[in-house]
Amino acid sequence: MADYRKRFWIVLLLTIPVTVLSPMIMMLFGYHFEFPGANFVVFGLSTVIFFYGGKPFLEGAWEEWKNRSLGMMMLISLAIVSAYIYSSFTAFFIEGSDFYFELATLILIMLLGHWIEMKSQMGASKALEELIKLMPKVAHRLDAAGNIEEVSIEALVPGERILVKPGEKIPLDGKIYEGLSTVDESMLTGESVPVEKNPGMQAIGGSINGSGVLKLTVEKVGNETYLAQVINMVQAAQQQKSKSQSLADKAAGWLFYIAVTAGLLTFLYWIFAAELGLRFGADGDGTRHRLPPCTRTGCPFGECGVHFNRSSKRLADPQPDAIRRGAQSGSDRLRQDRDPDGRQLRRNRHPSRCRGLREGITDAGLFCRKPI
């Protein structure tokens, strides 16, 4: 728990400047803060966050890989490794948006979650320690003559007789053969009221004797005692995963395969799309779009010139372009519709020749023209 807590606080401190320098946070809160070398500063801070804060997840992913049981650690590692590698490329080799902020916050949240989980497990471990403290270290053994001898509880064997004085803890499970008293078993059974004990009744090791003196015959020692069995059950429950946790690990494993498959399919799509002739570009405002090569060719008939608007924002709303360009070319239509000899020209709207382009989409030279 201490390791996760230490990593969490260190990563939290490093995440603050990464968050302040994040373009998304700047846009969200409407401020601008930049200085020379800011990208390299963020890269350095994110590198420390990745290797120091992400170390437990990378090690856990490696263990899952060796055990052929992919789960949550592998899914987290896939996310942080992908974000770090791509962001590093944007810092030195390619242009693009980095994911340093997402990388830092993901590691920070995962460290917090594991810290809380370890804290709950430590709480259960402390409860076990309290149970172990209930077991006394020594016992008063009675010999055949009735003499009392102090011995370690490890030295006792079933069948031997022991004496429990008032206020002492009963060392081992046994059967009372002499004496009357009340026994406090609240720490073991949850019964708040002391239980009256008399000859012939069972006594539980770890419970507290009242005001009377009891003599017992030892029946169970070591791991056979009631308290030892409770401790073993709690330890086994800690080591085993719950059904919901097992289901979450399976879901994380499937999500890992789905994410990898989707990424590979997307990558292959871009590769084959480039091979088929699609071109990708960006406008001045960063809007990306595809531009097939057929849009760069002109009409092969007459004087028709085809020119498509390459802005994706314009393509989303073509009607204003049609109105604007129609107005621009309106003053030239009388001149365009006549040749130098004064003969009338007619508009060729044949779909096979002008490729189905409608008036208003192209620039100046809207129509294929042919003498009448």
Side-chain angles (χ1 to χ4, degrees):
M1 182 182 70
D3 181 63
Y4 280 105
R5 180 177 58 194
K6 179 181 177 181
R7 293 177 187 274
F8 170 77
W9 287 115
I10 293 177
V11 170
L12 177 61
L13 294 176
L14 297 176
T15 303
I16 294 175
V18 174
T19 303
V20 173
L21 295 174
S22 172
M24 183 180 69
I25 298 300
M26 293 183 188
M27 180 184 66
L28 183 63
F29 291 96
Y31 71 93
H32 181 75
F33 179 69
E34 190 174 358
F35 55 89
N39 293 337
F40 300 104
V41 172
V42 177
F43 168 75
L45 294 174
S46 301
T47 300
V48 177
I49 293 173
F50 174 74
F51 286 103
Y52 180 74
K55 181 180 177 182
F57 310 112
L58 298 175
E59 292 178 347
W62 176 246
E63 293 296 327
E64 291 180 351
W65 178 266
K66 291 192 299 184
N67 297 330
R68 296 296 187 269
S69 177
L70 304 185
M72 188 63 67
M73 291 297 186
M74 181 62 73
L75 184 62
I76 297 173
S77 298
L78 174 66
I80 62 177
V81 169
S82 302
Y84 178 75
I85 292 177
Y86 178 78
S87 300
S88 300
F89 271 87
T90 61
F92 297 99
F93 304 109
I94 63 176
E95 293 184 1
S97 301
D98 59 68
F99 296 98
Y100 293 126
F101 171 72
E102 290 78 2
L103 167 69
T105 52
L106 177 60
I107 293 178
L108 183 67
I109 293 174
M110 291 298 104
L111 286 174
L112 177 61
H114 281 73
W115 177 19
I116 296 174
E117 181 182 1
M118 294 300 296
K119 189 175 182 180
S120 63
Q121 292 181 358
M122 290 297 296
S125 299
K126 290 182 179 179
L128 283 179
E129 293 176 0
E130 294 298 326
L131 288 175
I132 294 174
K133 290 179 181 179
L134 294 177
M135 191 67 69
K137 302 298 181 182
V138 296
H140 306 295
R141 183 170 60 183
L142 298 172
D143 58 13
N147 298 321
I148 301 176
E149 178 186 7
E150 285 193 2
V151 296
S152 173
I153 60 173
E154 286 82 7
L156 296 174
V157 295
E160 291 186 324
R161 297 180 299 171
I162 57 176
L163 174 69
V164 182
K165 298 178 181 180
E168 291 184 339
K169 292 181 179 179
I170 298 176
L172 295 171
D173 295 358
K175 188 175 183 180
I176 301 173
Y177 69 90
E178 185 180 332
L180 296 173
S181 183
T182 57
V183 178
D184 183 5
E185 299 178 346
S186 59
M187 291 294 293
L188 300 173
T189 63
E191 179 60 51
S192 60
V193 179
V195 180
E196 295 184 359
K197 297 291 184 179
N198 50 57
M201 298 183 68
Q202 297 290 329
I204 302 175
S207 56
I208 302 174
N209 186 24
S211 57
V213 177
L214 295 176
K215 294 182 180 181
L216 294 79
T217 300
V218 177
E219 293 184 342
K220 296 179 180 180
V221 296
N223 292 330
E224 297 179 354
T225 62
Y226 176 84
L227 183 58
Q229 291 180 4
V230 171
I231 293 174
N232 291 335
M233 289 177 62
V234 175
Q235 290 177 340
Q238 283 184 331
Q239 295 174 358
Q240 293 179 353
K241 293 183 178 180
S242 63
K243 292 183 178 180
S244 58
Q245 188 174 0
S246 300
L247 181 61
D249 287 339
K250 290 182 179 179
W254 281 107
L255 186 57
F256 169 80
Y257 290 118
I258 293 174
V260 172
T261 303
L264 289 176
L265 290 177
T266 304
F267 177 74
L268 293 176
Y269 169 77
W270 292 116
I271 294 296
F272 285 112
E275 292 295 333
L276 292 175
L278 295 179
R279 295 294 182 265
F280 301 87
D283 294 331
D285 58 356
T287 307
R288 299 190 63 83
H289 63 281
R290 292 182 304 180
L291 188 63
C294 59
T295 62
R296 301 193 304 272
T297 62
C299 177
F301 302 98
E303 300 177 44
C304 175
V306 180
H307 177 70
F308 274 89
N309 190 330
R310 299 185 61 180
S311 172
S312 57
K313 296 200 310 184
R314 286 166 157 181
L315 288 176
D317 188 12
Q319 186 61 28
D321 282 342
I323 297 174
R324 178 176 57 82
R325 291 174 177 170
Q328 290 176 352
S329 61
S331 61
D332 298 331
R333 286 190 179 181
L334 290 176
R335 179 177 54 81
Q336 290 178 355
D337 290 346
R338 293 182 178 276
D339 66 1
D341 298 331
R343 292 184 300 171
Q344 183 70 27
L345 300 178
R346 68 181 181 182
R347 300 170 184 175
N348 188 347
R349 299 180 183 271
H350 198 282
S352 64
R353 294 187 175 183
C354 287
R355 302 189 179 183
L357 297 177
R358 296 176 300 175
E359 178 179 356
I361 296 181
T362 62
D363 285 326
L366 293 175
F367 308 100
C368 295
R369 297 190 298 277
K370 181 179 178 181
I372 298 177

